[in-house]
Amino acid sequence: EENKIAIKTTKPPPKILLQPSNPYYDEINEVVSRHIHRIYEKTKGGEDTWECIAEEGELKVYKREIEENGIVLDPLKAVHTVTGITGHEVCHHFWDIKVRMDWEATLESSDVVEWLSEDTFICHNVIKRVWPASQRDAVFWTHIRHVPGESDEEPDVWIVVNYSTDHKSVPNGKYVRVTMNVAMVCQTIIDPPADGKITRDNIRCKISYTADVNPGGWAPASVLRAVYKREYPRFLKRFTSYVKDATAKKEVMF
Ligand code: 6CM
């Protein structure tokens, strides 16, 4: 009996942060640093190269149209500010696969393939089929990290990166394999009240979300762009209100 369970269950997460001896260590650090540097780059009139595809309150979603051999590679970025939640809470809920299906509307399934460390695992997403394209899947490592601010004035950063990789236990072929480089980067702003008692009303989370997705094989550009235009704003609204609901009655996780 015990054996059966052991075979079926993925090995539990090691209780240790990602170590230099891990084969993914260098790649993960490089990709994470690139994302973190990006948030400190002040946009020098660069905003006009991004087309705004949705704006609702504090939420703004931008894209850039890029095609390669007829495949849509449009990079996407979104900024949002949400009150009542911290960057740690946002990143935790984005990273924790146990709650992924509670807010992800575009997936058929999502499974852990391998734990690399306490803060990193490889997972397999099977994406819902979108007519008339073939069904897609994705294999990626997902890593969560807390980084001090660049200077004394800059708030700390919480970040999650989802970055495509291969894994022997999920052979390519059953679906069209999507590749991605997705980052959720957060900073928490606190406006301390006069009485010094910080509640959720005094907390704001500045979110920057970016997604570079290659749909891996042909998909009709107009359908894909319509899906993106609908699904990314929907995801950002649904996900952030999910985090607000999930944390509202809990102690603030700074
Ligand atoms: O970032 C999001 N979710 C993460 C956790 O699941 C993860 C997943 C990203 C997937 C992004 C690719 C989705 C689109 C794939 C193309 C589908 C092709 C259909 C063909 C249409 C003609 O980072 C939230 C992702 C929100 C997605 C809108």
Side-chain angles (χ1 to χ4, degrees):
E1 269 309 297
E2 254 173 43
N3 238 345
K4 222 168 160 186
I5 294 164
I7 289 161
K8 275 189 169 176
T9 348
T10 317
K11 273 209 281 174
K15 295 259 177 289
I16 184 162
L17 298 178
L18 191 71
Q19 297 298 303
S21 58
N22 191 289
Y24 290 85
Y25 184 83
D26 288 337
E27 178 179 271
I28 292 175
N29 280 342
E30 256 166 57
V31 176
V32 167
S33 313
R34 265 190 269 137
H35 283 294
I36 290 177
H37 282 130
R38 221 198 43 239
I39 66 159
Y40 296 122
E41 282 168 11
K42 301 287 168 248
T43 30
K44 313 174 193 80
E47 217 60 13
D48 43 356
T49 59
W50 291 87
E51 179 193 339
C52 185
I53 56 166
E55 178 163 7
E56 212 181 301
E58 295 287 313
L59 171 66
K60 293 182 189 70
V61 185
Y62 305 90
K63 73 161 180 187
R64 222 181 230 159
E65 290 203 350
I66 295 178
E67 271 176 54
E68 230 174 69
N69 307 321
I71 295 180
V72 171
L73 300 178
D74 301 359
L76 180 128
K77 72 169 180 182
V79 291
H80 201 359
T81 300
V82 185
T83 55
I85 51 180
T86 66
H88 188 183
E89 290 168 334
V90 168
C91 284
H92 171 78
H93 289 86
F94 187 64
W95 177 80
D96 186 2
I97 196 168
K98 292 199 290 296
V99 300
R100 186 174 291 164
M101 297 306 271
D102 296 348
W103 56 264
E104 254 285 15
T106 63
L107 298 184
E108 200 167 280
S109 66
S110 186
D111 295 293
V112 177
V113 173
E114 185 187 344
W115 278 98
L116 299 180
S117 52
E118 197 180 6
D119 51 9
T120 317
F121 59 92
I122 296 174
C123 62
H124 181 218
N125 275 0
V126 178
I127 301 160
K128 285 179 185 164
R129 181 166 180 245
V130 179
W131 185 87
S134 343
Q135 191 165 18
R136 260 78 174 164
D137 72 347
V139 176
F140 56 95
W141 52 254
T142 177
H143 174 75
I144 185 168
R145 188 181 293 193
H146 176 213
V147 188
E150 202 188 36
S151 66
D152 286 349
E153 293 79 55
E154 282 289 343
D156 289 3
V157 172
W158 274 92
I159 180 169
V160 174
V161 180
N162 293 341
Y163 192 88
S164 283
T165 191
D166 294 316
H167 199 278
K168 56 180 180 339
S169 67
V170 200
N172 199 341
K174 188 163 177 202
Y175 307 101
V176 175
R177 180 66 48 90
V178 167
T179 55
M180 63 165 108
N181 179 1
V182 171
M184 178 75 79
V185 189
C186 300
Q187 288 178 305
T188 308
I189 317 286
I190 303 168
D191 300 305
D195 66 5
K197 274 200 192 141
I198 295 165
T199 69
R200 292 197 175 272
D201 297 338
N202 315 114
I203 295 168
R204 269 176 302 145
C205 181
K206 263 174 62 183
I207 300 173
S208 152
Y209 172 87
T210 53
D212 278 325
V213 173
N214 184 325
W218 190 80
S222 60
V223 180
L224 197 55
R225 289 195 166 117
V227 168
Y228 288 172
K229 194 180 167 136
R230 183 183 69 230
E231 294 300 330
Y232 281 110
R234 182 185 279 179
F235 147 64
L236 284 147
K237 285 186 275 178
R238 184 177 150 114
F239 170 69
T240 49
S241 59
Y242 168 79
V243 178
K244 282 191 80 149
D245 290 347
T247 54
K249 291 191 175 64
K250 293 193 181 141
E251 214 180 292
V252 182
M253 187 163 78
F254 286 103

